[in-house]
Each structure stands twice: as structure tokens, then as C-alpha cells.
Amino acid sequence: MSPRALEGVKVLDLSRVLAGPWATQMLADFGADVIKVELPGKGDDTRGWGPPFLKLPDGSDDPQESAYYLCCNRNKRSIAIDMTKPEGQALIRKLAAEADIVVENFKVGGLKKYGLDYASLKAINPKLVYCSITGFGQTGPYADRPGYDFVAQGMGGFMSITGEEGGGPLRAGVAMADLSTGNMATISILMALRHAERTGEGQQIDVSLLDTQIAMLANQGSTYLVDGTVPGRMGNRHPTVVPYTTFPCADGVLIIAIGNDGQFRAFCHEMGRPELAEDPKFKLSRNRLINREEIEQIVRDIAAPELRDPLIERLVAVGVPAGPVNSIKDVFTDPFIEARQTVHRFVRDDGVEIPTVAFPGKLSATPADYRYQPPKVGEQTREVLGDWLALDGDELAALEECGAVRQR
């Protein structure tokens, strides 16, 4: 097997919940040795965010293995350290001295009292890439506020453009601010790591949920910046591309997403309405936008008597983007899942199966791989301290005796 892309990279993960663990899971998928530092006994907050929980062989729930926790913690090793104890703080500093990357999502200044802030760790490891994830950044008027995905979606404008026209504010069905911030954190870490490897100079990365959510407004944010237009909710419609929404048909609903004039012509010819493609009101994209209501009603009338799946097949055959609106069950029973190896299933020694959604990028030379199932709290405490710090049995016993660490 070829070396993993991040083979040899050491990551000390002080983060919890979603944005930070999402970022470190990606690093772990490509070979980084990610050590998840958790509070003895309790662990990551999301361990208890259920049900659903993983089922044990006797059918009972594992109260520390929620579906939420399992989605973002594979390929890591867990070490249980009490950072409120001086011995625990000293131990984390020793681990940081060996690390290439530290990821944390404490409140601004929250780690300084433990001597685990960037300035303290930089002094002992100048090449360290230190990624701080917060709700509102290390600076600015909201730096001291606690931050959650929901708040960022609202403050970042996302909820003002999500939902039905005339409806109330609506957040996305998953934590898009957290997930996007995790992605941005990973990108930033890899750029900083490249710089550190080339120059020996580490740095602090300041990435926030609100910064990221604002950046994710993309064309909608640009629309306001360019001419002052304030986008609003449009349901499933696209602000500038028409027809591009959901349409009822005889046995359900489908998506028709016509992105250019060529696709519109193909649609019109396939549906037996070639004259629409030459109509000055609809021929060009900008004209269809001006005449949105009329052309959407025409397409609605065309789709209404059709069966969904045969219509989708007809449209995709002529290059018109179309598809169903799937339930989550529909998604995971689609043949796409097996063909693309979208789901990986770990099997524990006790026979319990842990399903996980694979990293979506397919790299030909250094693909993601799945070495470790999501760990239990402190599952690898002794193993990690031996690997990273070469601590012997007596030293480990002393740390356990004073309560600084715990082995599951």
C-alpha cells in the first residue's frame, strides 16, 4: 500500500462537538495520527446526544456512542486527560511539544489559564500549527460570545434566504455552519502545515462559524455587495436560473434544474414543445428569468401528467439535470451507495457494526482509509502515552493515581 498522504503527521485534538472533530476526522482519514483528548468519564459532549445510540450485542443502548458522535470521530485514538489538574496540563504540553497540529474550540482565552493557549505552546514548539475554532473569532465585537451553529446560520444571513417565499426563518436540516467551518479549518490547517514544513514556522489559525457562514453566502452575498439587492427566501427556486426548482408530477415530485440555454432546448424538444426554445420570452437565460412565472407554469403543466422516474430517465438521457427528492432512507438504499463505496462499516470485536459515511473525495494514489472505529473515552490512553512520550508503567500508574489520566 502507498504511504498515506498525511502519514507521520501528529494531531492533538482538543476539540469537541462538530466543527473541530469534523476537521480532525478528515486529517485522520488520510493517515494523520489524531489523538482525541477527552474529559475522563464523560468525554465529548456529543457522546450523549441521542437517541439513537449504538446498539450493544444484548440489544441495549451504549449511552456513550450516539449516532452524532459516531459521524465525526473515526480513525482517532482517545486519551482521557483531566486538564483542570496541573499534571494533566503538563501532560498535554508534552504531547503538544511532539505534535504538528493542535485543534481546539474553547471560548476565546479559555485555554490560557491552563497554559495551553497558542502563545504558551508556541514557546515549546515553534513549528506548531494551532487551529482555534470559535463562534465569532479571536477578535471583533462578538469574540467573547458563545457560538453555536444555529446562531451562526441566523446571524450570517443564511436563514433569511432559506425557506418558502413569505415564510419564516428556517435553518438547514444539518449544521451547515459547523460543517463548513470544519472544512475551512482543514483547508487552513493543510496550508499552514505546508508552510511549517517548508520554513519551520508555525502559526495560529483563527476560524469562526460566523466568518464561514458569511463566506458561504457566495453568490447571494455578492448580489448584495454588487448592487445592494437584498436576497430573500425563494423556496426551491434559484435566484437567477430558470426553470430550476421542484415540479409536481403524477406520482410525486421531481427536480428539474436547467442551467443553460442548451439544456433548455433539449428539454423543449424532448417534451414535444420545440417552439418554446425559439420563443423570445424564453430562448435566453435572462429572458426566462424575466418571465419566470410564465415558463415555470408551462413546465409545471408539462410535468404534471408524467410519472416521476420515467420522466427523470428521459431528461437525463438528453442531458437535462433532473432527479428525485429522496428521503434519507432512499439515499442509503440507492445503488449509488454500493457502487461508490459511500458507506464503510466497522465491525468491533464484540460483533457490533458501526456504519460511517466515507470521505467523498476519491484520490487515486493516496485514498482515505479507515483504520480505527470511533474510540471509547480514553480507550487508548496508555497506548498513546507510550507511543508519543515513551512513558513507562510506573509513570502511567502515577498519572492514573493522581487522576490526571484514565484508561477506559
Side-chain angles (χ1 to χ4, degrees), residues 106-108 134-137 140-148 151 155 210:
F106 285 73
K107 291 179 183 178
V108 173
T134 57
F136 303 99
Y142 310 133
D144 293 334
R145 293 187 183 185
Y148 270 97
V151 176
M155 290 183 69
L210 186 54

Side-chain angles (χ1 to χ4, degrees), residues 113-160:
K113 62 184 176 183
Y114 301 131
L116 301 175
D117 56 307
Y118 175 60
S120 299
L121 297 187
K122 178 185 177 182
I124 61 176
N125 186 354
K127 67 177 179 58
L128 186 66
V129 172
Y130 188 104
C131 181
S132 297
I133 300 172
T134 57
F136 303 99
Q138 300 293 305
T139 60
Y142 310 133
D144 293 334
R145 293 187 183 185
Y148 270 97
D149 168 272
F150 195 0
V151 176
Q153 287 194 37
M155 290 183 69
F158 183 80
M159 292 171 63
S160 75

Side-chain angles (χ1 to χ4, degrees), residues 161 217-225 229 231-232 234 239:
I161 57 173
L217 293 175
N219 59 300
Q220 297 280 54
S222 183
T223 291
Y224 173 75
L225 293 174
T229 297
M234 299 182 66

